[in-house]
Amino acid sequence: QYNGINADELDTLVKNIKSLLTDKITLGDREIINDNIEVLQEELKKENFKKGFIKTAISGLQGIFPKISESIKLTSAITSIITFAIAVL
């Protein structure tokens, strides 16, 4: 555990999202998703994480929803990591 968070749960959420990033998602959108989940993964594991980074990553992920609306599983997985991050804030 880091910072009161369950690091294993966080890692599982990240792996789940990455496994859903198929070719049906554009390269640009995959990069946005990857960048933002990596920020969440790295920052949330820090003892003194930066809330601004977390909020920016959440906003980036929320902004991608209209572009991936056909991928219900990916949308759900991203919602799960956002919920996880918000609970820490």
Side-chain angles (χ1 to χ4, degrees), residues 2-3 8 19 23 33 35 41 43 51 54 68 75 84:
Y2 301 87
N3 219 357
D8 290 337
S19 74
D23 290 341
I33 293 167
D35 289 349
Q41 189 175 33
E43 278 301 310
K51 287 185 179 182
I54 304 297
I68 62 166
T75 302
F84 182 95

Side-chain angles (χ1 to χ4, degrees), residues 60-83:
L61 290 171
Q62 289 171 328
I64 205 78
F65 282 145
K67 297 179 179 183
I68 62 166
S69 61
E70 294 178 13
S71 180
I72 295 169
K73 287 182 181 181
L74 179 57
T75 302
S76 175
I78 291 173
T79 301
S80 294
I81 201 167
I82 290 172
T83 302

